[in-house]
Amino acid sequence: MQISERISADARDKLKAAIDEVDGAEVLAVCELDENGVIDSVSIAARGGPSSVPALYPHMDRGSVVVHNHPSGELRPSAPDLAVAAELGNRGIGSYIVNNSLSELFVIAEPILRAEIRPLNITTAAEYLEPGGAASRTIPGYESRDSQIQMLRSVAEAFNDDHLTAAEAGTGVGKSFAYLIPAMLWAATNEERVVISTATINLQQQLVEKDIPAVNRMLPEEVPAVLVKGRGNYLCWNRLQELTQENELFGEGEEELADIRAWAENSADGSRSDVPFMVQESLWMKLRSEADSCLMLRCSHREKCFLAKARKAAAGARVLVVNHHLLFSDLAIRVQGLGFDGTAVLPPFHRIIFDEAHNIEASATSFFSDSHTSAALRRNLSRLLRTRRTRRIGLLIRIQEAGFLNDEALTRIESALSQLETSIAAADADTLQVLNGRYNLRLLGAERELYRASLFPALDTLRHDLLHLIGLLGDLYAVLNDEAADSTEAYELRGAVRRLEGSAALCRRFIEHEDDPASVYWIEQRRSETGAPTPRLQRTPLSIREVMEEAVFTPYSTVVFTSATLTVGESFSYWAGRVGLDVGDERTQLRVFPSPFRYDTNVLLGMPYDAPTPDSLEYEPYLVEFVANALLISEGRALVLFTSYDMLRRVADAVRPRLAAIGVAVMRQGDDERSRLLRRFVAEPATALFATDSFWEGVDAPGETLQLVIICRLPFRVPTDPVLLARMDFIKAQGRNPFFELALPAAVMRLKQGFGRLMRRGDDRGVVFITDVRLTTKSYGKVFINSLPGPPRCIENTGERLLEELERFLYP
């Protein structure tokens, strides 16, 4: 068989170069075929020894061809070759063997080529949700909803016609079925993988545990789907073993680690959410899987690796449920050069659905930001060398015990570590001095002299000392690479150097921040585990528009965005502008599917016009009295939402004794882990939950559990937020109004989320109080009210009269 008929010249050259790089050892490549069935794309997935190479299943997908070389020149497949080819062949993946010179070829199994795309029959898909359809037959009490069917049709069109579709689906539409049915039909019909990305774990669990199984019961054949979690969610067996051995040596913390090991031995999942007891964050950080320290195939625990099991399950699934952060981590690797056909964090996929799409900008901004803290840097350094009870332990000691690090070289590294500790402390002190008691500070050109005099010298010294240590570790790595390249110590050292290089690079970027107008550079003051002030350096992208265009809109044929809150005043302009979606593009489709709920009869919106302004000294005492009286009337069953945790704490503590007298419990955000707090809130109706931040969304408490929502302040973002200020300055510099273009619509969408906590089912009813008087006294208040679903019945009156209305509404 002529190799030129199967592998293009460019592909042969790339394979030959990869083989030469490892001195003729075995190499495994995942390849793609052109329209003529000839390999034209090569991705090197693994490198092995003289006679074997690992077959990394997650790197391969249907229609791909796996090519590996036999250095001996004997191309007949071995028994392991045949076993691997059989397993891959059952997934439609071909297997070829070549010699080192790329002159000969042996085909073990042909790939099953991807079939032509078959569009969905939209009428047939809609019938699943129509009266008498599969949903009615398989789900007890299911009621067909026109808005849900129309949304399903819109999503199906997006798959058929390669649309970028934004669909606002009001509460009660049932958006998950509306996108899951066409997505799963598409995955089954065309054998293309679909990713469903959400912002919250609550929705991920609902999809995997409830909605996807329900849809699979409707379909003629099951579509495999899995929840894919980020690496840090999984326990690392190797790190558990290392920490256990260290603690046994010093007789510390053995009981807690024994409990974790006992759980791990019986856990099928190995993720933190599966742990039945509380694990401190500081301990989990020492046990979780991390990319830079993962030994992969070198790990002695690879056969029972929880992460590897999860990744293998993902490779075999057609629907992947992920969170936005994990998806962006995958897309970042693809954009940086891997491409969109191979495996990055996720196996290759072809269509994306963003649920909770109102959070995309925040999620992408978070992922594409860089930060530095002395605690994180010290944690990385401690992996190299640390002292406990006069005994030195860590990676460097293991390397020394293996015979690759002499006493003189270790002394030089210890000296560099000592000097680095001095520069870390000095940088922290100078950064706190620049903050001068402020919570945060954005680096601006107007204050450049302050930074040059007080901050940049310390950062430059820190960077210099980091680079010095990196140089010494680089010399050590060169020794290891020559004599023990495949050792776990070499791999761990390379990861440690990479992390230190990232810290040094961020120091340099801060010093040269004026050369990077596309980013926001800022510092903030936080509290360490001991309560002491500690600074954090942060670099954040000014906009995610370019990232979305390069990583999402251009490479993926179908992208669906959905949420209950994508519009402000019935317009998508704000949200679309923030994520870079071109509303004028012919691919872009914008759809609104109103809630079927009767907000006009089931929801009362009350606004006390006699409340003091939120920034006045009289406001908090007023709020304490109003909230206490409202909760006495509702007998708990309430969610009280704040924008400030300090005010939340003070108000909750003030009303707690009065509510306890009638048997109503006050639960406060931070009293327990979020999911446990919510479970208790749902299970115990005579409770009031005081919360902020993430509790404005993702709280699902239908029925009598929740009949009153009190919103204590319009949710404008903190005006000192450095990223918000930078984005507002950018808008202002272009001659536009940053309040009406950014601050106001962001607050409106947040208010819609908080308001939406009340109505979760069609028969729910209750009251929403918004105690911020700006809703009635400011002209922009109408923008908030007109953007709420329904609309609800609105009452403006004194606080006393509103409490009377509350009693009449709840107890007619």
Side-chain angles (χ1 to χ4, degrees):
M1 184 177 298
Q2 293 294 318
I3 194 169
S4 60
E5 297 176 3
R6 293 296 188 121
I7 306 178
S8 70
D10 287 345
R12 294 199 302 275
D13 289 343
K14 186 170 183 179
L15 284 167
K16 182 66 167 58
I19 294 169
D20 290 344
E21 283 180 4
V22 293
D23 299 325
E26 286 203 25
V27 168
L28 182 140
V30 179
C31 307
E32 304 298 330
L33 308 180
D34 64 15
E35 63 275 9
N36 298 314
V38 176
I39 290 176
D40 68 343
S41 172
V42 174
S43 177
I44 305 302
R47 298 166 180 84
S51 60
S52 64
V53 67
L56 302 180
Y57 298 162
H59 280 271
M60 309 164 192
D61 200 23
R62 181 186 181 91
S64 301
V65 175
V66 176
V67 178
H68 77 281
N69 59 307
H70 277 187
S72 65
E74 173 54 56
L75 300 191
R76 290 189 178 278
S78 64
D81 289 336
L82 292 173
V84 170
E87 183 168 349
L88 296 178
N90 288 329
R91 291 171 41 197
I93 299 165
S95 298
Y96 297 178
I97 301 174
V98 296
N99 61 354
N100 278 16
S101 63
L102 273 293
S103 60
E104 297 180 26
L105 169 77
F106 188 98
V107 176
I108 308 175
E110 300 283 5
I112 299 176
L113 301 182
R114 297 186 181 97
E116 289 187 19
I117 294 297
R118 289 183 289 169
L120 298 176
N121 184 316
I122 297 178
T123 300
T124 301
E127 288 174 354
Y128 282 87
L129 297 179
E130 290 176 352
S136 298
R137 296 192 301 271
T138 58
I139 302 174
Y142 175 79
E143 295 181 3
S144 180
R145 284 160 278 185
D146 181 65
S147 55
Q148 187 181 47
I149 294 171
Q150 294 307 314
M151 181 176 170
L152 180 150
R153 289 178 173 274
S154 180
V155 174
E157 288 175 2
F159 276 86
N160 285 351
D161 300 332
D162 294 346
H163 286 163
L164 307 175
T165 294
E168 181 175 85
T171 305
V173 167
K175 57 183 168 61
S176 58
F177 280 3
Y179 65 68
L180 281 174
I181 289 173
M184 293 170 71
L185 286 172
W186 183 273
T189 302
N190 292 294
E191 297 192 354
E192 283 193 343
R193 191 175 286 113
V194 179
V195 164
I196 299 171
S197 182
T198 80
T200 63
I201 193 167
N202 285 351
L203 181 54
Q204 293 164 35
Q205 291 173 337
Q206 175 190 316
L207 290 171
V208 172
E209 297 172 7
K210 180 181 176 183
D211 295 342
I212 289 175
V215 173
N216 265 326
R217 287 192 292 271
M218 301 180 206
L219 301 181
E221 61 180 79
E222 182 172 332
V223 177
V226 297
L227 170 62
V228 184
K229 301 178 183 179
R231 174 187 288 273
N233 286 280
Y234 294 99
L235 176 84
C236 171
W237 282 106
N238 191 57
R239 299 187 73 181
L240 174 61
Q241 178 177 304
E242 288 181 355
L243 191 59
T244 299
Q245 292 172 343
E246 181 178 327
N247 283 9
E248 287 175 350
L249 184 64
F250 296 100
E252 298 175 355
E254 295 179 50
E255 184 176 344
E256 189 172 16
L257 287 180
D259 290 340
I260 292 174
R261 176 174 289 279
W263 157 76
E265 294 288 357
N266 295 284
S267 174
D269 179 66
S271 68
R272 187 177 183 180
S273 61
D274 188 47
V275 182
F277 49 86
M278 189 74 172
V279 180
Q280 293 297 322
E281 179 68 21
S282 57
L283 176 59
W284 187 258
M285 290 177 68
K286 297 176 182 178
L287 297 172
R288 69 187 183 185
S289 175
E290 292 183 347
D292 285 343
S293 60
C294 179
L295 302 178
M296 296 190 291
L297 294 171
R298 297 174 179 82
C299 183
S300 59
H301 302 285
R302 61 183 179 275
E303 295 300 325
K304 59 178 183 177
C305 174
F306 291 120
L307 179 68
K309 290 177 183 177
R311 295 297 184 257
K312 188 172 183 180
R318 286 294 150 198
V319 174
L320 306 180
V321 179
V322 305
N323 65 33
H324 295 338
H325 195 275
L326 183 66
L327 176 58
F328 282 118
S329 69
D330 176 272
L331 296 175
I333 295 172
R334 297 182 187 283
V335 168
Q336 289 166 5
L338 177 69
F340 293 85
D341 294 323
T343 291
V345 176
L346 303 172
F349 51 94
H350 310 88
R351 318 270 165 165
I352 305 174
I353 296 173
F354 286 97
D355 201 342
E356 299 177 314
H358 60 280
N359 279 316
I360 287 177
E361 183 183 22
S363 297
T365 296
S366 173
F367 177 77
F368 290 102
S369 295
D370 301 315
S371 66
H372 161 81
T373 65
S374 56
L377 179 53
R378 287 186 174 111
R379 191 163 53 246
N380 290 333
L381 295 175
S382 72
R383 294 178 185 175
L384 293 172
L385 185 66
R386 57 193 181 277
T387 302
R388 292 184 65 176
R389 297 184 185 177
T390 71
R391 185 181 180 117
R392 295 183 303 174
I393 53 178
L395 175 61
L396 294 176
I397 301 304
R398 285 162 42 208
I399 294 175
Q400 185 184 45
E401 291 172 347
F404 298 111
L405 179 61
N406 60 41
D407 289 342
E408 183 180 352
L410 180 59
T411 299
R412 286 197 297 270
I413 294 176
E414 285 184 290
S415 176
L417 287 168
S418 177
Q419 178 58 43
L420 188 55
E421 176 56 41
T422 301
S423 60
I424 291 172
D428 272 8
D430 287 357
T431 306
L432 289 173
Q433 184 177 0
V434 169
L435 281 168
N436 193 27
R438 290 171 287 192
Y439 174 69
N440 59 49
L441 180 67
R442 176 165 58 116
L443 271 61
L444 294 170
E447 298 183 69
R448 63 169 59 91
E449 294 306 320
L450 171 64
Y451 311 137
R452 286 175 177 169
S454 303
L455 177 61
F456 292 166
L459 289 183
D460 196 37
T461 299
L462 176 59
R463 174 176 169 271
H464 176 272
D465 291 344
L466 278 167
L467 292 175
H468 176 57
L469 175 62
I470 289 168
L472 294 175
L473 296 177
D475 293 340
L476 176 58
Y477 178 75
V479 173
L480 281 174
N481 200 39
D482 286 342
E483 302 184 35
D486 291 331
S487 67
T488 58
E489 288 78 12
Y491 192 81
E492 287 184 59
L493 183 60
R494 185 172 61 186
V497 169
R498 190 182 301 119
R499 289 191 294 271
L500 295 175
E501 287 173 341
S503 296
L506 187 58
C507 289
R508 178 185 58 79
R509 295 186 74 169
F510 257 77
I511 296 169
E512 301 172 359
H513 73 279
E514 292 180 347
D515 296 333
D516 183 16
S519 298
V520 185
Y521 290 83
W522 50 290
I523 53 180
E524 68 175 346
Q525 182 176 220
R526 292 193 160 196
R527 293 286 172 181
S528 67
E529 292 182 358
T530 63
T534 183
R536 181 172 80 157
L537 278 62
Q538 184 89 15
R539 184 205 64 83
T540 300
L542 188 63
S543 169
I544 67 163
R545 295 169 63 94
E546 291 184 6
V547 169
M548 291 295 290
E549 180 64 39
E550 185 178 11
V552 179
F553 303 144
T554 298
Y556 291 100
S557 302
T558 298
V559 186
V560 175
F561 304 93
T562 186
S563 169
T565 52
L566 292 181
T567 65
V568 175
E570 300 184 352
S571 171
F572 284 90
S573 297
Y574 164 71
W575 172 82
R578 299 311 306 165
V579 301
L581 182 64
D582 184 357
V583 297
D585 191 296
E586 61 180 10
R587 286 185 67 201
T588 302
Q589 303 294 312
L590 307 176
R591 300 284 186 266
V592 175
F593 303 97
S595 170
F597 292 166
R598 293 297 304 273
Y599 285 89
D600 56 337
T601 59
N602 286 20
V603 178
L604 174 67
L605 173 61
M607 300 166 285
Y609 57 61
D610 62 343
T613 58
D615 56 353
S616 69
L617 294 176
E618 296 80 14
Y619 182 65
E620 191 170 310
Y622 171 89
L623 189 62
V624 168
E625 192 66 20
F626 183 84
V627 169
N629 288 328
L631 297 183
L632 288 171
I633 293 170
S634 67
E635 299 176 348
R637 298 180 293 172
L639 175 64
V640 188
L641 293 172
F642 294 80
T643 58
S644 161
Y645 185 77
D646 287 340
M647 180 178 283
L648 177 159
R649 177 178 48 79
R650 292 192 297 269
V651 173
D653 290 346
V655 305
R656 191 190 303 270
R658 293 173 63 180
L659 295 176
I662 65 166
V664 173
V666 169
M667 295 192 298
R668 198 175 68 183
Q669 179 180 345
D671 288 346
D672 200 351
E673 191 269 331
R674 186 181 190 275
S675 61
R676 278 192 285 267
L677 203 61
L678 285 175
R679 284 197 296 270
R680 183 184 163 198
F681 177 60
V682 172
E684 303 173 16
T687 56
L689 176 57
F690 287 62
T692 184
D693 195 26
S694 63
F695 285 78
W696 283 72
E697 56 185 285
V699 176
D700 192 4
E704 293 187 358
T705 296
L706 180 57
Q707 293 190 321
L708 173 63
V709 174
I710 302 176
I711 296 174
C712 299
R713 190 165 186 152
L714 294 177
F716 288 103
R717 288 177 60 184
V718 180
T720 57
D721 183 321
V723 179
L724 176 65
L725 288 172
R727 289 171 174 171
M728 293 180 74
D729 285 349
F730 179 79
I731 293 171
K732 188 176 181 179
Q734 295 180 320
R736 309 198 307 271
N737 188 313
F739 177 78
F740 287 102
E741 189 170 323
L742 180 59
L744 177 61
V748 170
M749 290 183 66
R750 193 64 166 164
L751 184 75
K752 289 173 68 176
Q753 283 291 327
F755 181 88
R757 296 312 94 210
L758 182 67
M759 286 284 287
R760 309 307 299 170
R761 295 190 313 210
D763 57 353
D764 285 349
R765 65 190 309 274
V767 176
V768 177
F769 285 144
I770 303 176
T771 58
D772 192 329
V773 72
R774 290 176 294 178
L775 200 63
T776 58
T777 61
K778 297 292 186 180
S779 59
Y780 58 72
K782 293 180 179 179
V783 180
F784 284 97
I785 296 173
N786 293 338
S787 295
L788 295 176
R793 182 160 64 94
C794 300
I795 296 179
E796 297 178 32
N797 215 315
T798 64
E800 183 178 353
R801 289 294 180 86
L802 288 179
L803 293 173
E804 294 173 0
E805 290 287 345
L806 169 66
E807 189 164 14
R808 278 194 290 270
F809 193 87
L810 294 184
Y811 312 106

